[in-house]
Amino acid sequence: MSAIEGQILNQLAISKDSSFNTYEFASNLPPDYGVSHENIVGTSKSLAGDGYVIMKSSKIDYWELTDEGRTVLREGSQEAKCFKAIKASGEGGLDRKDLEEAVGKGAAKVGMGNCMKNKWIAKEGDKMKAKATDIEDIVQIQLSKLSGCANPEDNGAVLPGKDASLLKKRKLVVGKSRTSYDVTRGPEYAEERVKKAADLTKEMIDSGAWETTKFKAYNFKTVGEKVGGGYLHPLLKVRAEFRKILCQMGFEEMPTNKWVESSFWNFDTLFQPQSHPARDAHDTFFIKDPAQTVSVPKDYYSRVVKMHEEGGSGSIGYRYNFKPSDARKNLLRTHTTAVSSQMLYKLANQEGGFQPRRYFSIDRVFRNESMDATHLCEFHQVEGLVADYNLSLGDLIGTIETFFKKIGITQLRFKPAFNPYTEPSMEIFGYHPDLKKWTEIGNSGMFRPEMLAPMGLPPNVRVIAWGLSLERPTMIKYRIKNIRDLFGHKVELARTKTAPVCRFD
Ligand code: PHE
């Protein structure tokens, strides 16, 4: 029990009618006691919550002197000042200019009229002359009554209403009000507060104390604590939606949970020559430790080497000396196609032989690029592929059109392009209704025989594939201009918490 609680309960025990007013109670405490009216009200409310006391609010109106009111209280009213000045001028009297000089322009303006009304002065020609011998400065007296009250916040009834409203009209006082409470004993009143138990414990049950213990009532009106659970990042919201769309289209997700790959899977299996500029440290993050991969599938490896060096399946290859150490170099994968390649290899070599499949993945890739408003060193790729007998470029275009239609992009154009691992290759352009222009939204193609043959896929199996970034559609969807607002350490957490779910319709 706190000291204030004790005092409040005690007050209800000793006061005659077992009641008190919070404001009076607080005013009677010594000023250096450090307990304010708010403290008394707060503690009383807490006691009222447990039924110890009952509170009834009462609102009291009072008057507070304005700055001008305090000046009048100190120096006298404008009319009193005017009268004094005019009286001092004797028989000669003062004209308006003299008066303004004597008491100031403002005081002259207000005071002159009031002096006339009170018949303290009279005008003779352009001179004002005193008529009364002595005057009573009623306004000053009224203000001193208001401020001289033992408790200025109780001065509401000190003056007759019409006097007070005149002072208010002259902006010498303003009306204020304060709320205090009349506190009386409640149904649970006791001189000491016993803290109610919030929980039923094993000990209470063991000892039987639960039967007499007073428990806190449940407060069903309280606002529940905010659940600090996880929130999906906007990128993940779009990923969830893409995943749903691709699953509906019969695609299975590929395991992309490994960021480190060997150059073999990331480049060589994709028929990307070892001299290709993308395999430079300027474009790719190579891993220092472990710098080299431990193993690659042996037979497949030699078929890949052969394809690079000599060709096969109607290709003349690249005709250079394949460097095993380059193939073993570890790196942060530069595209998820490194995983597609592994999945196709598995598909070709699974028990029972090749079966047609649709695969997709949405995951992170890394490129050693200089960063700006639209580029980071890491981003996310959405990749899809279909492996089946005798697929054509028409199948690729149809599949891409279906997918993009489902994410809200209906106008597409295809432009011939080059990838080391696809032929033909097409860049995908979509019409951006906000920007009102065609923008590149993806890349695609049919995997080359030089890539598929060494895996052991039957010769009439074709693989169509396409890829796009997850960031581009997310930025469009959430209207984010700078990629740094979407991804990385500068992202505002609040934005992640409040970003709406992503729906494409
Ligand atoms: N790997 C390509 C890229 O990084 C995307 C792609 C995937 C292109 C599949 C063609 C086929 O941009």
Side-chain angles (χ1 to χ4, degrees):
M1 194 166 78
S2 76
I4 315 177
E5 272 173 5
Q7 276 168 323
I8 289 172
L9 293 172
N10 186 47
Q11 186 69 19
L12 293 178
I14 59 173
S15 65
K16 253 203 277 144
D17 49 0
S18 298
S19 82
F20 70 88
N21 175 277
T22 50
Y23 186 77
E24 284 164 20
F25 186 82
S27 321
N28 286 333
L29 293 172
D32 59 356
Y33 194 60
V35 174
S36 66
H37 182 223
E38 285 85 53
N39 296 148
I40 300 294
V41 171
T43 308
S44 301
K45 280 187 176 166
S46 150
L47 286 166
D50 280 349
Y52 282 88
V53 303
I54 291 170
M55 295 168 81
K56 223 178 85 201
S57 75
S58 64
K59 208 171 120 192
I60 284 177
D61 298 318
Y62 64 97
W63 300 106
E64 192 176 271
L65 269 60
T66 60
D67 284 347
E68 199 177 339
R70 276 194 294 277
T71 310
V72 169
L73 177 65
R74 233 178 16 250
E75 300 173 1
S77 69
Q78 294 92 334
E79 52 268 36
K81 281 184 185 170
C82 287
F83 175 77
K84 270 185 210 149
I86 292 166
K87 195 178 170 215
S89 71
E91 274 305 300
L94 292 179
D95 65 11
R96 170 133 193 189
K97 235 173 122 218
D98 299 332
L99 183 64
E100 281 178 0
E101 246 160 57
V103 301
K105 232 177 170 170
K109 194 173 165 210
V110 181
M112 235 167 55
N114 284 337
C115 282
M116 301 274 224
K117 226 190 303 163
N118 294 349
K119 299 205 166 57
W120 293 350
I121 62 163
K123 235 174 170 183
E124 286 172 19
D126 57 359
K127 296 279 186 193
M128 289 172 280
K129 293 184 182 170
K131 287 290 153 204
T133 42
D134 209 2
I135 52 126
E136 207 180 22
D137 190 351
I138 299 159
V139 169
Q140 191 184 33
I141 294 167
Q142 287 171 340
L143 290 175
S144 83
K145 274 189 186 162
L146 289 180
S147 72
C149 192
N151 185 347
E153 289 191 15
D154 268 336
N155 65 10
V158 163
L159 292 182
K162 68 175 198 323
D163 289 352
S165 21
L166 274 175
L167 294 180
K168 187 180 161 204
K169 218 164 133 195
R170 284 181 69 166
K171 296 198 170 64
L172 300 175
V173 298
V174 283
K176 293 261 175 180
S177 68
R178 67 173 159 82
T179 301
S180 66
Y181 296 84
D182 293 321
V183 180
T184 51
R185 293 183 184 194
E188 301 292 324
Y189 176 78
E191 273 182 51
E192 259 196 50
R193 183 180 202 177
V194 182
K195 213 157 172 62
K196 287 188 177 171
D199 286 310
L200 179 64
T201 63
K202 176 183 178 291
E203 287 70 29
M204 287 178 192
I205 296 172
D206 286 348
S207 69
W210 64 273
E211 283 190 273
T212 49
T213 303
K214 288 200 167 165
F215 289 95
K216 253 190 183 162
Y218 281 110
N219 180 2
F220 293 109
K221 286 185 195 142
T222 188
V223 179
E225 224 172 82
K226 267 233 165 92
V227 180
Y231 296 86
L232 281 189
H233 187 276
L235 276 173
L236 296 186
K237 287 185 174 159
V238 177
R239 176 167 82 166
E241 192 65 8
F242 278 13
R243 188 182 262 157
K244 208 175 83 190
I245 289 167
L246 286 158
C247 287
Q248 279 168 356
M249 288 173 68
F251 285 76
E252 293 165 61
E253 191 160 7
M254 297 186 269
T256 43
N257 52 352
K258 218 173 73 186
W259 292 350
V260 175
E261 287 289 354
S262 60
S263 295
F264 177 71
W265 285 113
N266 195 83
F267 296 125
D268 297 322
T269 64
L270 294 165
F271 197 53
Q272 193 145 329
Q274 293 189 318
S275 60
H276 194 283
R279 302 181 64 151
D280 199 283
H282 290 297
D283 289 309
T284 300
F285 291 112
F286 289 96
I287 303 287
K288 273 198 192 135
D289 188 16
Q292 301 267 307
T293 192
V294 184
S295 73
V296 292
K298 232 173 123 203
D299 292 352
Y300 175 47
Y301 172 81
S302 30
R303 291 197 297 272
V304 169
V305 174
K306 193 158 184 264
M307 188 58 85
H308 279 244
E309 290 184 337
E310 301 166 22
S313 299
S315 168
I316 57 169
Y318 290 121
R319 288 164 293 158
Y320 68 96
N321 281 334
F322 191 89
K323 275 217 285 222
S325 59
D326 276 5
R328 285 185 178 271
K329 273 192 195 166
N330 281 332
L331 45 74
L332 289 175
R333 67 175 175 222
T334 64
H335 51 188
T336 45
T337 318
V339 180
S340 301
S341 171
Q342 282 165 75
M343 292 303 284
L344 286 169
Y345 170 73
K346 270 195 195 151
L347 201 54
N349 296 283
Q350 70 188 359
E351 229 177 281
F354 168 80
Q355 292 284 321
R357 276 284 184 286
R358 290 156 199 245
Y359 287 136
F360 81 94
S361 67
I362 309 173
D363 214 333
R364 198 176 295 194
V365 300
F366 305 85
R367 291 189 192 170
N368 196 352
E369 280 184 291
S370 49
M371 298 191 275
D372 60 29
T374 52
H375 293 89
L376 294 178
C377 288
E378 45 192 311
F379 65 100
H380 296 78
Q381 271 189 337
V382 184
E383 180 152 333
L385 67 88
V386 183
D388 204 346
Y389 295 99
N390 302 316
L391 290 174
S392 70
L393 192 65
D395 292 308
L396 176 57
I397 293 174
T399 309
I400 290 172
E401 276 176 350
T402 309
F403 171 74
F404 279 100
K405 206 169 150 188
K406 282 179 189 273
I407 65 168
I409 301 169
T410 48
Q411 285 173 276
L412 290 181
R413 279 181 184 171
F414 298 93
K415 181 179 150 191
F418 173 80
N419 294 311
Y421 39 90
T422 53
E423 183 59 38
S425 311
M426 303 183 299
E427 273 170 4
I428 310 165
F429 283 74
Y431 188 73
H432 194 310
D434 270 5
L435 300 176
K436 296 207 184 344
K437 65 174 188 190
W438 292 90
T439 48
E440 201 208 316
I441 49 173
N443 188 0
S444 67
M446 300 187 69
F447 285 141
R448 295 179 75 107
E450 289 99 324
M451 169 183 163
L452 301 182
M455 291 175 171
L457 284 164
N460 54 346
V461 166
R462 308 268 180 273
V463 181
I464 57 177
W466 79 98
L468 65 144
S469 88
L470 183 62
E471 278 75 0
R472 171 91 39 108
T474 305
M475 286 170 77
I476 295 170
K477 191 81 191 161
Y478 290 96
R479 298 245 160 16
I480 295 169
K481 294 253 152 30
N482 191 326
I483 198 155
R484 296 182 187 96
D485 295 334
L486 175 69
F487 194 72
H489 66 285
K490 285 189 182 156
V491 170
E492 241 181 278
L493 257 189
R495 194 167 194 162
T496 299
K497 291 183 182 177
T498 54
V501 289
C502 165
R503 288 279 177 274
F504 295 102
D505 29 48

